Amino acid sequence: MSTILQQQLITEWGLFTNLEAARREAARCLQCNDAPCQQKCPVGIPVPSVHRAILSGNLRHAAELVRTANPMAHTCGACCPQESLCQSVCVRTTIDHPLDIRGLHRFATDWEWENEPRHPRLPKTKKRRVAIIGSGPAGIGCAIGLGRKAISSDIYEREPEAGGIPAWAIPGDRLPTDIPRRDVLVLNEYPVEIQTRQEIRALQELRKRYDAVFVSVGALEEAEVEITGQDGPGVFGGLEFLRQAKLYPDKMVVRGPVRIIGGGNVAVDCALVASSLGANRISIIYRRSRAELPAWNREVDNAFRKGVDFLFQLQPLAIDREGDLIYRLICRRTTLGLPGEDGRREPIQLPSETISLEAGMVIIAAGQYPQSFEDDMLERDERGNIVVDESCRTRLAKTYAGGDVAARGSTVVEAARSGLIAAHSIAKDIRR
Ligand code: SF4
């Protein structure tokens, strides 16, 4: 097998099966003084040191370096988009090909998980308590950051299981369910109480009861689109489809052709999941062109490889059904006008060009936005994100926000970083 092909396989699966293979990969690290990979990692994992530790066979130390920097070490080891982060600046690329940095991290943390359960030495907790709303990467990052500063926290999670999007929406072939569970289980070693099935609708009460409140509820509300006939069986929201497919795969019935509306990563994930559930005619319908498609290229290429069709410049208008069964999606062709406020060219419908597509199931993944609270006095931007400063403080006293709800979490590692930053700010503020 060629080295490049081997590298592709390693990168795709991020798995080294034995220490010798991991050592060989770690030995390729050039140990750059300025370590651009470390600078590009949102949580600043000391990448060259991790590789040195693996090379010397000290996997415990390698794992410790990774998880000390990254509260979502296990999840990121499996699915961090290294191609656009640390690996994108790997100097080894100038010689042959970049290191599989994520794969090496995973090797170390997997080894530690299986061989040496860890017990962090934490300072004695003070009589301070913080409420964290949402148990995704930002919430976990904040709870761990606070625990290290001897501050206890209560996490409120509306789902039956903690972990946020990685636990219930990232497709199982990219992130098996037990991996994000590890990052949640690590919380047992910190002064953290998790309460699941607890939806928080108002903030004021929590602000009275706690020293601080950290909002990390993500952006889980599905954007609405104007399509007639969408109410009824056979039509799913993108996140709802991913959730059901991951948590209840045996109950999921996929009826083709599957038409997915949207152009982001959620739409592409839905296509990949539909494919893994056995659907064979899957298409993504996007109202702009390929140039404006917001999904990551890596995911789009993956979808192409799995036979997913992309139908560009189509605006869905109506779903036709007979009783409970969908049989057609009516769309109108678009042309692209001038760029809008976000810099993307605006689609304009061409009234004379109506297209009818056979459909058995429709998934609407046209975007997600954050929830608001009943007593929401938080400043929001035009997309509904909570406005925070660089320290994750909102304009309201004792209230902080991070992750997707504050536009600080386009990746798991970035969301986790915002949680750590918020923990730092909270600890500083409540000491005053
Ligand atoms: S967490 Fe992600 S960005 Fe950071 S070193 Fe690991 S793979 Fe790279």
Side-chain angles (χ1 to χ4, degrees):
M1 193 186 296
S2 78
T3 326
I4 294 288
L5 187 53
Q6 250 172 352
Q7 172 63 20
Q8 276 170 353
L9 284 179
I10 289 170
T11 304
E12 180 126 16
W13 297 108
L15 284 177
F16 293 97
T17 47
N18 58 56
L19 179 58
E20 273 327 296
R23 268 184 167 149
R24 269 199 304 278
E25 183 68 354
R28 295 177 56 243
C29 179
L30 298 175
Q31 294 292 320
C32 308
N33 273 336
D34 55 348
C37 48
Q38 178 171 345
Q39 292 175 39
K40 190 81 175 172
C41 171
V43 289
I45 289 178
V47 177
S49 305
V50 174
H51 295 166
R52 269 202 309 278
I54 292 174
L55 199 52
S56 68
N58 191 345
L59 297 181
R60 192 197 58 74
H61 183 55
E64 193 176 337
L65 290 170
V66 174
R67 62 177 163 67
T68 300
N70 188 351
M72 295 297 292
H74 294 285
T75 302
C76 288
C79 71
C80 193
Q82 61 173 350
E83 302 83 351
S84 52
L85 296 170
C86 54
Q87 200 186 47
S88 68
V89 291
C90 178
V91 179
R92 184 81 207 196
T93 312
T94 58
I95 300 173
D96 41 27
H97 53 266
L99 265 86
D100 183 7
I101 299 169
R102 179 187 63 209
L104 288 171
H105 293 180
R106 181 170 182 179
F107 181 73
T109 51
D110 277 359
W111 178 88
E112 185 192 50
W113 185 261
E114 279 149 26
N115 295 283
E116 278 189 22
R118 65 206 190 81
H119 301 285
R121 262 174 264 120
L122 295 172
K124 210 161 169 275
T125 49
K126 303 165 193 152
K127 281 195 182 130
R128 297 289 198 181
R129 210 159 184 93
V130 173
I132 296 175
I133 312 172
S135 67
I140 291 174
C142 185
I144 288 182
L146 290 169
R148 287 175 183 160
K149 293 174 192 300
I151 298 169
S152 314
S153 54
D154 290 333
I155 299 183
Y156 296 94
E157 169 58 54
R158 74 176 182 181
E159 293 291 330
E161 183 173 333
I165 288 259
W168 57 262
I170 298 184
D173 55 352
R174 196 142 46 93
L175 186 64
T177 320
D178 68 305
I179 301 285
R181 278 187 188 146
R182 292 181 186 179
D183 288 318
V184 174
L185 284 171
V186 167
L187 291 176
N188 290 337
E189 297 163 18
Y190 289 83
V192 180
E193 297 281 330
I194 304 179
Q195 300 185 33
T196 53
R197 298 180 201 272
Q198 290 286 332
E199 182 160 10
I200 300 295
R201 294 180 187 278
L203 294 176
Q204 189 55 21
E205 177 58 28
L206 289 184
R207 267 198 292 266
K208 281 188 201 150
R209 281 173 39 212
Y210 288 90
D211 293 292
V213 176
F214 178 60
V215 182
S216 53
V217 290
L220 306 180
E221 305 296 316
E222 311 249 22
E224 288 176 12
V225 287
E226 276 183 35
I227 300 177
T228 55
Q230 63 179 287
D231 297 326
V235 181
F236 289 81
L239 284 179
E240 185 53 23
F241 176 76
L242 293 177
R243 182 177 182 278
Q244 293 205 20
K246 184 147 184 183
L247 299 182
Y248 315 106
D250 300 340
K251 293 190 186 151
M252 202 71 204
V253 180
V254 180
R255 192 171 159 263
V258 180
R259 306 293 184 183
I260 300 162
I261 299 167
N265 287 324
V266 172
V268 178
D269 277 348
C270 289
L272 295 172
V273 168
S275 162
S276 70
L277 289 171
N280 55 9
R281 283 187 293 163
I282 306 164
S283 51
I284 290 182
I285 295 162
Y286 184 51
R287 60 199 183 126
R288 294 183 168 95
S289 73
R290 171 76 170 92
E292 288 85 22
L293 199 69
W296 292 339
N297 282 338
R298 180 188 63 164
E299 294 300 298
V300 174
D301 293 345
N302 198 9
F304 272 125
R305 276 204 299 274
K306 295 249 162 85
V308 174
D309 251 352
F310 283 77
L311 306 178
F312 294 110
Q313 292 187 237
L314 285 183
Q315 174 81 52
L317 299 177
I319 294 166
D320 282 348
R321 53 171 81 235
E322 263 177 20
D324 282 351
L325 290 185
I326 290 170
Y327 68 95
R328 197 164 54 183
L329 177 67
I330 311 290
C331 303
R332 193 162 281 158
R333 198 164 286 292
T334 65
T335 184
L336 295 183
L338 294 171
E341 278 178 10
D342 60 1
R344 293 183 301 166
R345 295 176 67 193
E346 290 294 342
I348 301 164
Q349 291 182 36
L350 298 171
S352 58
E353 293 198 43
T354 302
I355 287 165
S356 165
L357 300 170
E358 190 192 346
M361 182 175 190
V362 175
I363 300 170
I364 303 174
Q368 299 78 38
Y369 63 93
Q371 73 169 80
S372 49
F373 297 92
E374 283 166 7
D375 56 352
D376 203 319
M377 288 159 65
L378 295 157
E379 188 185 352
R380 304 261 177 175
D381 67 14
E382 67 287 350
R383 294 173 152 253
N385 300 314
I386 298 173
V387 175
V388 292
D389 65 13
E390 66 284 355
S391 309
C392 292
R393 294 181 176 94
T394 71
R395 298 263 171 93
L396 289 185
K398 294 169 67 176
T399 312
Y400 306 76
D404 260 347
V405 72
R408 293 283 195 282
S410 60
T411 59
V412 170
V413 63
E414 283 163 332
R417 173 175 188 261
S418 72
L420 290 173
I421 291 173
H424 183 75
S425 306
I426 293 169
K428 209 163 142 193
D429 293 350
I430 63 181
R431 234 185 270 129
R432 280 180 186 153

